[in-house]
Amino acid sequence: MNTIDPSVPGRFSRRGFLGLGAAVGGGMLLSACGGGSASGGGSLKFWDMPWGQSNYTAAAKKLTEGYRPAGDLPRATYQGIQWANFSQTFSSAIASKTGPAVSTGGGFQAFQFAEQGAIAYADGVINQFRQDGTADDFLPGQLDAMKTANGYAAVPWQLDFRVWWYRKSLLDAAGVKVPATWDELLTACRTLSGRGLFGFGTGAGAGNNLGSQGLHLMMLNNGGGLFDPDGKVDVVTEANLEAMRFVQELVRAKAVDPASISYTTDNLITQWKNKKVAMGIHTAGLDTDTGETDGDLRVMGPLTGPGGAKAGLVFQNNIMMYANTPSQEGSEAFLSYYIRNMKTFWQQNVVAGLPVLKSIVALPEFQAQQQKAKIIAEWAPVARTFAANSKSLFGGLASVDSSQPITQFAQTVLAGKDPRPALTTLQQALEAIVK
């Protein structure tokens, strides 16, 4: 099942979830939140996840209830859906036609439901955005990532990055410059380990996906990834082997805490707070998660891999529409309204994710968050999706992200074991998951 995003309690970013298709296809109907069919007249049901603390939910509810539709189009109602068991909540509600007309949710959720025929494609909304210029406000590539062979599965609204961070005071004290290449990273890690500091802060314990995501980022940084351009599992490649052998070098250099394979997200944050970690891969909100405001925690620029490539890892959270709706025109109008007015979340600083719109990036409230602004400026242009070499996202990703094989792979590699058998085992496991 999916796990909590590496951040403080209450700050979540779910990309996908397991078993959704099986729950629907197998007829396993669990009790869903809310009652009554989405097509049963009345208002549009908008289901939203807790993308921040309670102040986010209050802001999202206010934005939803502030929607004033044109003519006789339906109004919208807001319902918060908790991350706990959310996959069952959605699958049950959609199977029984009691689900929402529009929702946020897991980042791969729209693609999985689209393959089941439950999604109303967003082509109408995006075409309108192109006509009125709104499409030009999206950061490059964000809309394209939502496109499938049958249409746009959803509309992106916020981004969840994995990037390199460092603690300036520790690097300064060790006389280490901020790495820009893999070779410089290894050299820095050797120096830092001599001072009892870890240069590849990570964790692969219960509920902590940073270990696997960090390894995935290293693969991407070397031109590799988990999938080929056709979306087929392609794990045992020279690019991935080279990347994981480099991680093996980091382990030998004592850059990785031996206990990290069991670290939860809280354990890892504690290590950052206690200044045992000097560098590591984390979410865009590490400084917020640790509660630090003095600027000692800083984002690196994207590292240059052995082949000259730069890469980041990004998950695109999106808003989707469903085929079961009291009014498709109404769903499209509400979604358009929401995207055009969602800047309020960043003006109030109530959402953990980073914006997809250039106009929101330019807001003084966002630019004041210097590390997040740097991520958009330097990491967004080189960031790649979880699908890696595949040009589009697909439903099978929901069964891969945060899966047990991914976690086991991370634990094996971070323990310093030979990466080839680990990659081979992962290949076989993912082939069994992704049909």
Side-chain angles (χ1 to χ4, degrees):
M1 61 186 294
N2 211 28
T3 48
I4 296 175
D5 183 58
S7 58
V8 294
R11 291 185 58 191
F12 303 93
S13 182
R14 304 297 181 111
R15 274 89 44 199
F17 49 88
L18 297 175
L20 184 61
V24 176
M28 184 178 69
L29 301 181
L30 306 179
S31 66
C33 296
S37 170
S39 59
S43 59
L44 293 166
K45 290 196 289 187
F46 176 55
W47 286 11
D48 190 28
M49 318 307 294
W51 297 101
Q53 302 288 359
S54 59
N55 54 1
Y56 163 77
T57 300
K61 186 173 187 291
K62 182 178 180 180
L63 179 60
T64 302
E65 294 176 348
Y67 173 57
R68 297 292 181 267
D72 59 355
L73 293 178
R75 300 273 304 261
T77 59
Y78 183 88
Q79 182 167 337
I81 303 295
Q82 295 302 309
W83 286 115
N85 300 316
F86 83 111
S87 60
Q88 291 92 335
T89 298
F90 274 97
S91 59
S92 170
I94 289 171
S96 60
K97 299 189 182 302
T98 59
V102 183
S103 82
T104 61
F108 305 131
Q109 178 174 324
F111 300 91
Q112 197 165 18
F113 277 136
E115 292 173 2
Q116 299 168 13
I119 287 293
Y121 289 94
D123 295 51
V125 174
I126 291 175
N127 287 338
Q128 182 59 46
F129 284 170
R130 288 202 173 100
Q131 292 172 19
D132 63 24
T134 303
D136 295 331
D137 195 19
F138 282 83
L139 294 172
Q142 296 309 314
L143 289 178
D144 290 343
M146 300 294 107
K147 190 172 184 178
T148 71
N150 296 317
Y152 291 88
V155 177
W157 77 284
Q158 51 134 314
L159 302 171
D160 182 20
F161 286 90
R162 298 295 173 268
V163 300
W164 276 95
W165 286 80
Y166 68 98
R167 186 176 286 282
K168 184 178 184 300
S169 60
L170 295 181
L171 267 62
D172 288 348
V176 171
K177 71 174 184 177
V178 180
T181 68
W182 283 21
D183 285 343
E184 291 177 1
L185 176 67
L186 181 56
T187 298
C189 285
R190 286 171 173 156
T191 299
L192 292 165
S193 66
R195 302 172 68 93
L197 301 171
F198 300 111
F200 193 166
T202 188
N208 190 352
N209 302 323
L210 280 170
S212 60
Q213 291 165 357
L215 297 183
H216 195 178
L217 173 55
M218 297 302 289
M219 292 180 191
L220 296 177
N221 200 177
N222 200 39
L226 301 180
F227 301 92
D228 69 13
D230 296 321
K232 295 181 180 178
V233 177
D234 190 25
V235 174
V236 189
T237 66
E238 285 305 314
N240 289 345
L241 276 168
E242 184 178 27
M244 295 304 95
R245 284 171 180 152
F246 177 78
V247 173
Q248 202 174 24
E249 282 293 313
L250 294 177
V251 173
R252 282 196 284 264
K254 299 182 179 180
V256 178
D257 184 346
S260 65
I261 59 174
S262 63
Y263 274 171
T264 64
T265 55
D266 287 343
N267 294 150
L268 183 56
I269 288 295
T270 297
Q271 288 291 79
W272 278 101
K273 286 181 176 180
N274 290 343
K275 299 187 178 182
K276 294 294 293 180
V277 175
M279 301 184 297
I281 297 171
H282 211 91
T283 69
L286 176 61
D287 52 350
T288 303
D289 299 343
T290 58
E292 299 187 33
T293 59
D294 60 1
D296 194 28
L297 286 175
R298 301 188 182 188
V299 173
M300 291 185 198
L303 295 176
T304 300
K310 294 183 178 182
L313 176 60
V314 64
F315 299 93
Q316 292 125 323
N317 294 313
N318 51 72
I319 302 177
M320 63 211 81
M321 300 180 293
Y322 297 84
N324 187 47
T325 174
S327 167
Q328 180 57 32
E329 183 181 359
S331 291
E332 293 182 0
F334 172 72
L335 175 51
S336 177
Y337 157 84
Y338 204 87
I339 294 293
R340 296 175 196 277
N341 292 276
M342 64 184 180
K343 65 180 180 181
T344 183
F345 299 137
W346 285 273
Q347 289 173 320
Q348 299 177 64
N349 193 22
V350 298
V351 68
L354 275 57
V356 298
L357 297 183
K358 300 171 188 174
S359 58
I360 298 178
V361 170
L363 291 171
E365 294 89 347
F366 182 75
Q367 287 297 314
Q369 302 178 69
Q370 295 181 3
Q371 303 311 310
K372 292 183 175 64
K374 180 175 182 178
I375 291 171
I376 291 293
E378 298 185 17
W379 285 85
V382 300
R384 300 171 66 189
T385 72
F386 198 71
N389 297 307
S390 175
K391 294 182 180 180
S392 60
L393 300 175
F394 48 92
L397 294 172
S399 300
V400 174
D401 180 31
S402 307
S403 65
Q404 190 60 32
I406 288 282
T407 299
Q408 291 174 342
F409 168 74
Q411 292 171 340
T412 299
V413 173
L414 293 174
K417 297 180 181 178
D418 185 354
R420 182 179 285 275
L423 286 167
T424 301
T425 299
L426 181 61
Q427 171 86 26
Q428 296 168 346
L430 296 189
E431 285 177 340
I433 292 175
V434 182
K435 304 299 184 181

